[in-house]
Amino acid sequence: MESTIALIGFGEAGSTFAIAAGWKSAALAYDLNPARRKVMEQAGVVACATAECALSDADMVLSLVTADSALPAAQDYAALLKPQAIWCDMNSVAPDTKRAAAKAIAAAGGRYVDVAVLAPVHPARMNVPLLISGEHAAEAEMLLRAAGFTKTRVVGNEIGRASAIKMIRSIMVKGVEALTAEMMLAATKAGVVDEVLSSLDASEKGDSWFTRAEYNVERMTTHGLRRAAEMEESCKTLEGLGIEPMMTSGTVRRQREQAGKTIQFTPERTEVA
């Protein structure tokens, strides 16, 4: 790896990447939490006591902080960047947040790139899928590949496009997790876990998400009011078991709202009629 990498934030993602790629002294790291310095030393990277130490000579920066720190990190550290350094914002934040961060980096003479990490870093490590967007996405992809990332893809020149894909996808991924928890809490209390899961297994289909999304939305368009009424009864079932229907009450609202409305699906965009 010829370029110098700076890691801003050395939590699970930063430490995993550094160890898996074997960056050693070619990478400099900084974290607001002083306790992370021990982890940096164990990973073999240069442990910096200040952000300036990590950033002043870096060709590429990987911003791997908490979501609420993503914008402040860009704003606070932009002035410390080497001219034309590439700031890869790999944090899970909204497109508008990334666009605001991009303005701060660009104003200081840096080059901002929106990077979306599409899977947990364990066990994928350097094979984790990365989506990259922004004016400097192509160069960032070359640097990321040189650093050891194997699954990178440029998805456009607009800041926010990669994060939009990630955030919208998360609606399903994290939403299903939350729905699963609500279902399992109720099934366990009612003593019907085996029957509920067996029933779901029996009805599971192997259709692609292109087919499933269109089918699911059509069901709501046609039967949304009836299904909303059914889900209101599901809410009562949960309440009767002493479980707050956080997710299910949202389903009631969405089913009722979508009733009678159609979504025209196209390869690049959807329009609500």
Side-chain angles (χ1 to χ4, degrees), residues 54-151:
L55 295 170
S56 59
D57 291 320
D59 301 296
M60 177 172 69
V61 180
L62 305 185
S63 177
L64 294 160
V65 297
T66 57
D68 59 343
S69 297
L71 179 55
Q75 294 171 330
D76 292 345
Y77 303 144
L80 304 177
L81 291 174
K82 176 181 177 180
Q84 294 298 297
I86 289 183
W87 179 281
C88 292
D89 192 335
M90 304 177 80
N91 303 298
S92 297
V93 294
D96 282 347
T97 304
K98 291 210 170 181
R99 284 189 277 267
K103 289 181 180 179
I105 297 298
R111 294 181 291 170
Y112 182 96
V113 180
D114 176 7
V115 182
V117 182
L118 288 191
V121 298
H122 286 297
R125 305 199 298 176
M126 302 308 287
N127 294 320
V128 70
L130 302 179
L131 300 183
I132 310 164
S133 68
E135 182 182 352
H136 309 290
E139 184 170 349
E141 183 181 31
M142 288 190 294
L143 291 174
L144 288 166
R145 284 193 166 272
F149 291 97
T150 62
K151 294 185 178 179

Side-chain angles (χ1 to χ4, degrees), residues 98-222:
K98 291 210 170 181
R99 284 189 277 267
K103 289 181 180 179
I105 297 298
R111 294 181 291 170
Y112 182 96
V113 180
D114 176 7
V115 182
V117 182
L118 288 191
V121 298
H122 286 297
R125 305 199 298 176
M126 302 308 287
N127 294 320
V128 70
L130 302 179
L131 300 183
I132 310 164
S133 68
E135 182 182 352
H136 309 290
E139 184 170 349
E141 183 181 31
M142 288 190 294
L143 291 174
L144 288 166
R145 284 193 166 272
F149 291 97
T150 62
K151 294 185 178 179
T152 62
R153 184 162 67 93
V154 174
V155 294
N157 294 324
E158 309 88 1
I159 298 296
R161 184 172 175 83
S163 59
I165 295 169
K166 158 88 175 185
M167 292 294 99
I168 295 169
R169 177 180 179 272
S170 290
I171 294 170
M172 177 60 68
V173 176
K174 274 67 173 184
V176 167
E177 291 173 358
L179 280 170
T180 301
E182 194 156 289
M183 175 190 72
M184 291 303 294
L185 285 168
T188 300
K189 278 207 168 185
V192 293
V193 170
D194 289 348
E195 289 292 341
V196 167
L197 296 181
S198 295
S199 175
L200 287 171
D201 278 342
S203 62
E204 187 65 25
K205 298 178 181 179
D207 295 332
S208 77
W209 267 107
F210 289 94
T211 300
R212 292 168 71 180
E214 190 165 9
Y215 174 82
N216 288 347
V217 172
E218 186 280 325
R219 294 289 83 193
M220 296 170 71
T221 299
T222 306

Side-chain angles (χ1 to χ4, degrees), residues 13-82:
S15 59
T16 296
F17 295 151
I19 293 169
W23 291 331
K24 301 294 184 181
S25 60
L28 298 89
Y30 172 72
D31 195 294
L32 284 173
N33 182 359
R36 300 305 296 174
R37 292 197 65 183
K38 183 176 180 180
V39 182
M40 296 173 194
E41 291 165 358
Q42 291 171 342
V45 302
V46 178
C48 291
T50 65
E52 184 175 10
C53 162
L55 295 170
S56 59
D57 291 320
D59 301 296
M60 177 172 69
V61 180
L62 305 185
S63 177
L64 294 160
V65 297
T66 57
D68 59 343
S69 297
L71 179 55
Q75 294 171 330
D76 292 345
Y77 303 144
L80 304 177
L81 291 174
K82 176 181 177 180

